[in-house]
Amino acid sequence: MKLYQRFLDGIPWYLARHYWWAYLWPRSVWFFDHQPIINAILFGQYRKLMDTTIERLKEAPLERVLQLTCVYGSLTPSLIRQISTPLHITDAAMIQLELARSKSTGTSELLPTRMNAESLGYKQDVFTTTVLFFLLHEMPAEARRNTLSEAMRTLAPGGTLLITEYGPLPTGHWLYRFLPFRWLLTTLEPFLDGFWHDNLPALLNEMASLHGKSVCQSWNSTIFSGFYRVSEFKLSSTPQNEAG
Ligand SMILES: C[S@@+](CC[C@H](N)C(=O)[O-])C[C@H]1O[C@@H](n2cnc3c(N)ncnc32)[C@H](O)[C@@H]1O
């Protein structure tokens, strides 16, 4: 049995195989959940990325908010502080959900559920805002498509999708041009190159159309010279005669 297979218990294969050392191994969960470590991984941009996401959240409809998968650091408690209803959070890894729960003070402010983001158990159109923070680049193309399809299905027309992520292929960025670094990053993040080449607005629209909806990018902020981005998308329902 390979080491990663010990982590497969209900976990998507790519997560166990490529990220057991980051999200599933108790020692690494302890290690990575320190502000200086996360900040170093994001080249000192963590605070800016989180603050920009939270600033945008303030403009979003906050009746029912989903954080689609857990993250290290203080994003979850910051989201909780912004909304007056419980924050829904879902993740495939129990250890991550427990960590998220340990960061919430009240029992009714967080509604954690263990699910695969590719096939959520939520009803359609239930959320008014969904937040994806550095999830998509860690997924193989098919899982990314499935997850975005589920995000589009569960988000109500009029709702907001906030995506904080790597930017599009950063060919001009010094980090990308420095080959040893690019090799290291794409070795640690084996699906990042696929994500870099995705046209996110087009992909979102393709997935939204499966559910009779469409999205438009309503706001975008580039961070660290375009290496990262915070993007806001608004969802609407497609009129019947346009829905193909
Ligand atoms: C949001 S991503 C990246 C977070 C980012 N590196 C950070 O901590 O700031 C990591 C989380 O996604 C979860 N995850 C990855 N694929 C998933 C899937 N298909 N379904 C549910 N959770 C998933 C992992 O268990 C992990 O908790």
Side-chain angles (χ1 to χ4, degrees):
M1 187 194 237
K2 293 193 172 139
L3 176 63
Y4 82 84
Q5 291 175 323
R6 295 169 193 222
F7 294 94
L8 269 173
D9 178 30
I11 297 288
W13 71 268
Y14 65 86
L15 186 57
R17 176 152 191 191
H18 297 286
Y19 290 105
W20 65 267
W21 55 272
Y23 300 118
L24 306 176
W25 188 35
R27 283 175 199 215
S28 59
V29 173
W30 172 83
F31 174 76
F32 283 111
D33 196 34
H34 286 92
Q35 214 67 30
I37 306 288
I38 318 163
N39 199 33
I41 291 169
L42 293 170
F43 296 95
Q45 304 300 312
Y46 178 75
R47 177 54 59 185
K48 197 164 183 191
L49 285 158
M50 203 187 73
D51 288 351
T52 309
T53 308
I54 294 294
E55 276 312 303
R56 232 30 230 172
L57 183 86
K58 288 178 184 165
E59 306 295 317
L62 300 178
E63 287 82 4
R64 200 170 289 152
V65 181
L66 170 66
Q67 182 190 327
L68 192 47
T69 80
C70 299
V71 297
Y72 290 128
S74 52
L75 180 74
T76 303
S78 301
L79 291 174
I80 288 172
R81 274 196 296 279
Q82 293 304 320
I83 63 179
S84 53
T85 52
L87 174 68
H88 295 255
I89 188 167
T90 194
D91 200 286
M94 211 53 212
I95 193 167
Q96 290 292 333
L97 289 165
E98 280 160 7
L99 181 66
R101 206 203 300 261
S102 74
K103 295 176 190 171
S104 70
T105 47
T107 47
S108 58
E109 58 187 26
L110 194 65
L111 290 175
T113 47
R114 187 181 182 207
M115 290 186 228
N116 186 333
E118 293 182 67
S119 58
L120 297 173
Y122 301 114
K123 282 196 293 189
Q124 64 183 48
D125 298 345
V126 282
F127 296 110
T128 54
T129 290
T130 298
V131 180
L132 273 74
F133 195 88
F134 283 98
L135 172 66
L136 299 172
H137 76 277
E138 292 187 347
M139 303 181 129
E142 199 186 344
R144 193 153 58 234
R145 289 171 71 85
N146 293 340
T147 297
L148 288 177
S149 172
E150 283 297 80
M152 296 290 89
R153 181 183 68 76
T154 54
L155 189 62
T160 296
L161 176 66
L162 285 177
I163 298 183
T164 304
E165 258 301 349
Y166 284 87
L169 192 69
T171 44
H173 199 283
W174 62 273
L175 274 178
Y176 182 84
R177 293 164 77 105
F178 183 49
L179 267 178
F181 171 77
R182 195 197 310 170
W183 175 82
L184 181 66
L185 185 62
T186 51
T187 301
L188 291 174
E189 303 273 20
F191 309 111
L192 174 58
D193 192 57
F195 178 74
W196 267 336
H197 286 86
D198 268 350
N199 178 336
L200 191 54
L203 182 57
L204 270 171
N205 258 308
E206 188 188 334
M207 295 302 114
S209 70
L210 301 175
H211 307 286
K213 299 171 185 171
S214 63
V215 287
C216 72
Q217 186 167 320
S218 41
W219 187 88
N220 188 61
S221 173
T222 56
I223 289 172
F224 197 36
S225 305
F227 204 68
Y228 302 117
R229 66 180 138 187
V230 179
S231 303
E232 177 194 81
F233 298 89
K234 294 274 181 211
L235 191 66
S236 43
S237 49
T238 312
Q240 281 296 293
N241 54 357
E242 281 180 36

